[in-house]
Amino acid sequence: MRPGWDGTPVSAFQELVFLAQSPIVLILILLTAVALRFRSEWGGLACVVGWSIATYLVTDWSGGSATGTAAATEGCVGSPVLFITFAAALCIGVVLYTAPLGKRKQN
């Protein structure tokens, strides 16, 4: 499943780095930075939806096939828990940062 795999088990951190290098994740990192820079509510929402879809795609792209299960058993593919945690924390941060401040009391 991974060309050039040397036979050593892949750690969760190595899997995070591998998944973070996928084109869709790199594009989402750029779009998230733009949404945060301009503090865009709709941009933040689009990024959260994008991160949700990307997390699903990169962690369950095999659809539970026998090949994906065998790769995880052999150690070719690591646990995606760190990547999922990173994406969830980023989404929470985006929502909190781009949320409207609300109306302030007028004296």
Side-chain angles (χ1 to χ4, degrees), residues 82-107:
L82 229 89
F83 178 77
I84 294 168
T85 305
F86 169 75
L90 189 66
C91 288
I92 290 169
V94 167
V95 168
L96 292 176
Y97 187 76
T98 60
L101 297 175
K103 294 184 179 182
R104 296 183 183 190
K105 289 185 177 180
Q106 303 253 345
N107 291 341

Side-chain angles (χ1 to χ4, degrees), residues 2 5 8-16 18 74-79:
R2 303 249 169 99
W5 179 56
T8 58
V10 176
S11 69
F13 181 74
Q14 290 170 326
E15 188 70 11
L16 168 70
F18 178 78
E74 289 180 14
C76 174
V77 176
S79 172

Side-chain angles (χ1 to χ4, degrees), residues 16-86:
L16 168 70
V17 172
F18 178 78
L19 293 175
Q21 294 174 356
S22 66
I24 190 166
V25 173
L26 293 174
I27 291 169
L28 278 170
I29 290 171
L30 179 65
L31 293 175
T32 302
V34 170
L36 290 175
R37 166 64 182 93
F38 293 108
R39 204 171 190 143
S40 169
E41 295 173 30
W42 290 105
L45 175 66
C47 288
V48 168
V49 170
W51 277 104
S52 299
I53 293 169
T55 302
Y56 171 74
L57 290 176
V58 298
T59 58
D60 193 40
W61 61 272
S62 65
S65 70
T67 307
T69 305
T73 303
E74 289 180 14
C76 174
V77 176
S79 172
V81 170
L82 229 89
F83 178 77
I84 294 168
T85 305
F86 169 75

